[in-house]
Every structure is written in structure tokens, then in C-alpha cells.
Amino acid sequence: MKKAITLFGIIICSLLYSQQVPKVLKSVFSKEALAQKITAENGTVLTIKEVFNKHKGKVVVLDLWAGWCRDCIIALPKAEELEKNNPDVDFIFFSLDRNREGFDKSLEKYNMKGKENYWFSEGWKNNFNNYIDLNWIPRYLVIDQKAKIVKYYAIAPDDPEIQATINKLLKK
């Protein structure tokens, strides 16, 4: 009986807290989402719009992750492979580490220094994450050359739809 109750509890928790595809797959970012402040690795505070403007005309893969996230760490080798296989794509990393010290430690520990890294100092609940319906990490979005969202929801870097979307955008 005790095992059955434990199993039932695990199933309920999995259903309540697992990644679920959002009901609406958005193709553009709201003004509020783009106005969200984010901190660069060097401490500079920018808006997400300013970050995206640096990549105008480029295909971007946005990787939301954190050093405390087991699933994110497991996905890192596949994310690195995706990046290596797509040299014409810009990769941006948004960290959900809980504090600046954790962000810095994660960059060091997981060899992320030198990549384009940003950190949400406001934490998980912010205008950008709320807008993209962030309910779990890792999460990947593909953004086209005109800053439109063309792949709204992926939870693994080896999701074949990510590469197919990149190939389509780059006309491979």
C-alpha cells in the first residue's frame, strides 16, 4: 500500500511539474518581453531587445539554462555539438542561476566563458520568461534573421526540429 501511494505521488508530481508544451506557440516577442533587463557576463545591463539587435540578420539559437539544473548539464554536450555543427548560427545563453555568484561559478565550471552569456538578476519570474511560458529548463528557441520566433518550444538541443529549422532558415 505504501509503495502504491508513493508511486501515485510521483506520478502526480510529474504531471504537475513536468515540461508541457504551451497552448499558444508565439512567433513574435512582446514589447514587455524585449524590454526585460538582463545582465551580461561582464556586468553590463542590457534589454533583451539590445541583445537581439546585436544579431540582426543572423539565425539565433537561444538556450535557457542554469548550473543547478541537472537536465541542463546533461544537455550541455549535445548543445555544444549543435553549436559546433552550425557555425553560421549565433548562440545566446540566458542563465537562470539564482544569484550572480552562482552564474559566475556555472560559467567557469561548465566551460561557458567566452560564449554570449546573460543572467536574469530578477530571477525566474520576469517579463521575458513569463511571455515565453517558461515552465522548465533547459529550453531552446530558434529566432530567424528578422528576430521572429520560428521554433518556440524545444526542450533538448538534439530535437531534430531545431536542426531542421536552422537548415530551412539557412537554406541548407
Side-chain angles (χ1 to χ4, degrees):
M1 179 70 167
K2 200 173 192 180
K3 286 183 182 181
I5 292 172
T6 302
L7 180 61
F8 180 74
I10 290 170
I11 291 169
I12 294 299
C13 286
S14 294
L15 292 173
L16 291 174
Y17 297 108
S18 65
Q19 283 195 29
Q20 296 177 9
V21 177
K23 290 178 176 52
V24 176
L25 303 179
K26 298 168 184 161
S27 62
V28 295
F29 292 103
S30 71
K31 288 180 184 177
E32 295 79 17
L34 292 172
Q36 176 63 50
K37 301 273 189 206
I38 197 159
T39 304
E41 186 176 344
N42 67 7
T44 304
V45 177
L46 305 155
T47 64
I48 289 178
K49 182 176 183 174
E50 291 171 317
V51 172
F52 288 163
N53 282 344
K54 295 182 347 180
H55 300 276
K56 269 190 179 171
K58 298 285 287 187
V59 174
V60 171
V61 171
L62 180 60
D63 182 337
L64 290 104
W65 77 292
W68 52 261
C69 167
R70 183 177 179 269
D71 293 340
C72 299
I73 304 316
I74 291 169
L76 277 176
K78 294 286 185 185
E80 289 172 359
E81 184 178 328
L82 180 67
E83 188 174 4
K84 186 182 92 182
N85 292 337
N86 292 284
D88 296 328
V89 174
D90 290 354
F91 286 76
I92 304 172
F93 300 87
F94 285 1
S95 171
L96 289 149
D97 277 296
R98 294 182 178 105
N99 54 49
R100 179 62 199 233
E101 182 183 3
F103 172 58
D104 291 336
K105 283 181 180 178
S106 293
L107 295 181
E108 188 71 40
K109 183 175 182 178
Y110 299 108
N111 299 314
M112 297 293 288
K113 290 201 172 271
K115 298 178 184 274
E116 190 167 352
N117 294 293
Y118 299 91
W119 169 65
F120 288 108
S121 63
E122 291 180 28
W124 188 290
K125 295 291 182 188
N126 61 61
N127 288 334
F128 184 80
N129 293 343
N130 292 341
Y131 183 75
I132 65 164
D133 305 304
L134 187 66
N135 58 4
W136 201 272
I137 53 176
R139 170 85 177 272
Y140 305 87
L141 290 88
V142 180
I143 303 164
D144 74 7
Q145 296 91 330
K146 295 180 182 177
K148 302 282 189 228
I149 308 165
V150 289
K151 176 66 180 155
Y152 182 68
Y153 188 83
I155 60 172
D158 56 351
D159 178 333
E161 287 187 31
I162 293 176
Q163 189 62 60
T165 302
I166 291 169
N167 291 348
K168 185 177 176 183
L169 292 170
L170 297 177
K171 296 178 179 31
K172 285 186 176 179

